[in-house]
Amino acid sequence: MEVDAYELRDIVNTAFQKEFKFDGFSVETCRSMVALMDVDQSGKLGFDEFKTLWNDLRLWKTVFKKYDSDKSGNFNSYELRQALNAVGFRVNNKIFSCLVMRYATREGIIEFDDYVLCCVRLKTVFETFKAQPKDGQGKATFSQEEFLQTIIYV
């Protein structure tokens, strides 16, 4: 009862496209979803991991719909900032600019799939940071191997 990124894509696209109009999740987004929840790094999600991911996806979809103020089916950067804050991702302006450059189209539009990918990666980074030992100033300590593993499998 485990699913890989391709099976996950079929499941989430079938479910989300019934109630929400978008082009579907890319394989890359689904790979990142698996990596987020895949504690044992098997490349697959078990039922409990899937259930946790499903709850995150439902929250992110609800927030997307709420902050898509012009009902366009996508975000501009202002809507993205509000949505990220609403799901608990607070970032400074420099990091936010990097997110917009990374996840927006040339016209500054963020599609639902890109928004979810952004949320998945932010959650992964925040959780990885929280799990690492900290020095007296609250800075996390990573070995080179830990850092590479975190960056590569996101």
Side-chain angles (χ1 to χ4, degrees):
M1 296 264 318
E2 292 188 320
V3 295
D4 64 16
Y6 297 91
E7 294 163 324
L8 178 64
R9 183 183 62 179
D10 292 342
I11 294 166
V12 294
N13 281 344
T14 298
F16 277 73
Q17 287 178 316
K18 284 181 182 173
E19 58 180 275
F20 187 68
K21 186 176 178 175
F22 76 113
D23 292 337
F25 292 108
S26 68
V27 172
E28 180 59 28
T29 298
C30 292
R31 285 181 181 138
S32 289
M33 288 180 201
V34 170
L36 168 66
M37 307 310 296
D38 185 19
V39 178
D40 62 356
Q41 294 188 339
S42 65
K44 296 184 176 190
L45 298 182
F47 179 73
D48 289 336
E49 294 166 326
F50 176 82
K51 195 165 66 171
T52 302
L53 173 63
W54 186 257
N55 290 334
D56 285 342
L57 289 171
R58 304 296 297 169
L59 169 66
W60 296 334
K61 180 191 73 114
T62 300
V63 169
F64 185 88
K65 285 179 142 183
K66 178 179 180 182
Y67 288 98
D68 178 17
S69 55
D70 59 359
K71 306 299 180 220
S72 62
N74 53 50
F75 277 164
N76 60 40
S77 61
Y78 178 74
E79 293 166 325
L80 177 64
R81 166 83 75 182
Q82 291 179 308
L84 293 177
N85 285 338
V87 296
F89 299 130
R90 308 249 188 299
V91 296
N92 64 30
N93 289 337
K94 186 173 182 178
I95 300 297
F96 183 73
S97 290
C98 290
L99 293 173
V100 170
M101 282 188 288
R102 171 65 179 88
Y103 296 102
T105 65
R106 186 182 299 173
E107 295 78 25
I109 301 299
I110 298 99
E111 301 291 342
F112 181 65
D113 176 64
D114 292 318
Y115 159 73
V116 169
L117 181 56
C118 179
C119 288
V120 165
R121 291 191 173 158
L122 282 171
K123 183 173 180 175
T124 302
V125 170
F126 279 117
E127 287 184 356
T128 301
F129 179 82
K130 283 184 206 171
Q132 288 303 114
K134 311 287 185 304
D135 66 11
Q137 298 175 356
K139 295 180 180 178
T141 306
F142 290 86
S143 69
Q144 183 178 12
E145 184 176 323
E146 290 168 327
F147 179 74
L148 288 172
Q149 189 173 1
T150 299
I151 296 303
I152 291 170
Y153 193 59
V154 172

